[in-house]
Amino acid sequence: MASTFFGLNSAVSGILTAQRALNTVSHNLTNATTPGYSRQRVDTAAAPAYAHPGLTTAVGVGQLGTGVVATQYARLRDGFADLSHRAATSDVGQFEARGQALSTIDTVLDEPGETGISHLLSGYWGAWQTLSLQPDSAAAREAVRQAGDDLARGFNDLSRGLAASQAEASARIELGASRVNDLAGQVNELNKQIAMVVAVGQQPNDLRDQRDLLIDELASYANVTVSEAGAAGKVSIAIGSQLIVDSTTDTAGTLAIDAAGAATVNGAATTIASGNLRGLVDVRDAVIGGPDGYIAQLDTLAATVATAVNGRHEAGFGRDGGTGTPFFTGTTAATIGISAPVRASVDAIATSGSAADLPAGSDVAVGIAQLQFLVQTIGASTTTMDGFYAQFVSRVGLDTDQASRMAQVQKGVLAAAEARRSSVSGVNLDEEMTDMVRFQKSYNAAARMVTALDEMLETLVSGMGVVGR
């Protein structure tokens, strides 16, 4: 039969296990607001029973319980919730980056506004209309030259604004790729630390939390695939088809995105399907740049205005008797400007279709003023020049609105994924307080058991064997 001291071991195991559970509750409570922290729990099991002969029967072997043991410090995490959360994070990153870039362009457009191309075009056509009524008026000629200069500068400014947005996107892409490489390096280092802790049979829960937080941030930049293989606790991370973190070789790759938007990891081509980098590359290379981008459309309009006006202006005669003089130079929004002769003298502005009609001839001025209403093929549209620009502004607005709405939608999806993950990994203060009371009672009960056994031993040691003395 087991001695009285045997019960002390069981009681002590209860004290130690309850103490560990209380320490874990304390760890949970103090990290309730720590970003990326996952709730931990002490898993317990009955200690291996002691086979004691004759305990329950006179001849058989009895199984005597020996208390409780803490089997592990479990980290509560749902892998599927992580998958959903990271996918939603990538989508939010993509549409937020797109929305932010487009909102900047929307500000640059200034439509409707006094510096917007719509207002400047209207002013330009109006100036020609006024000049057609007073072809010999120096003031009206000056107004045409000033309106043309304002329009050209408006194209120049808008083109510079779009180019600046492109340059900003490029800078953000470079910074984003650099941050991805930095995060991959940190994940690789944590992989090594986690493997060392796992190798000695412990659970590196807090290190895993730090690693998952880094992976979450990585997912905001690009779509990632995370895989854990082997018992060492390391993870490999792929962007597209290429590993940016290779747990088998303990190496972190280098992500690069070139000026054409092609992504590589260690020089091998890969695909970034979502995330902040996808959004920025799309904005830079397809929304602002590219054959159908904003800059190309603005260039098309600027070229159309210059070609149409110059075609009629060069056929006319200025007040100085000159002919063949272009009103505009340049063929893109970035290069368009009023010609040197027109800049030098308002008398170079052609208003008459023949020298004989000077200075009262105004058919050229009328023709240029009527260009405002000329329906023609501009790019892929058949419309007026004002209509083409209105279509351009509408496209920018719709693109911005769509990106904003998609970002909001994806934020809702992310919030749902976050709630799902938090329901498993998050620290619930009410639950922790309940556990604290529960484990405190267990601790007190085990301690009381020690007291009871101590009193039993006191009886044995001091209260027995005194009969007859």
Side-chain angles (χ1 to χ4, degrees), residues 11 15 440-450:
I15 290 174
Q440 183 187 23
K441 293 295 184 184
S442 296
Y443 184 92
N444 291 343
R448 180 60 185 162
M449 191 65 219
V450 172

Side-chain angles (χ1 to χ4, degrees), residues 105 161-171 173 283-286 288-290 295:
I105 294 172
L162 293 174
S165 295
Q166 253 190 326
E168 181 180 342
S170 291
I173 289 169
V283 166
R284 184 191 66 179
D285 299 339
I288 301 176
I295 290 178

Side-chain angles (χ1 to χ4, degrees), residues 273-291:
S274 60
N276 174 282
L277 291 174
R278 178 73 269 161
L280 290 172
V281 169
D282 286 345
V283 166
R284 184 191 66 179
D285 299 339
V287 177
I288 301 176

Side-chain angles (χ1 to χ4, degrees), residues 8-31:
L8 281 175
N9 291 330
S10 298
V12 169
S13 73
I15 290 174
L16 294 177
T17 302
Q19 190 177 45
R20 286 173 178 148
L22 280 169
N23 288 339
T24 303
V25 168
S26 176
H27 190 49
N28 287 338
L29 287 172
T30 52
N31 285 285

Side-chain angles (χ1 to χ4, degrees), residues 2-15 64-68 445-446 448-454 456-457:
S3 71
T4 305
F5 290 101
F6 189 90
L8 281 175
N9 291 330
S10 298
V12 169
S13 73
I15 290 174
L64 181 61
T66 60
V68 63
R448 180 60 185 162
M449 191 65 219
V450 172
T451 302
L453 292 169
D454 181 57
M456 291 168 64
L457 290 170

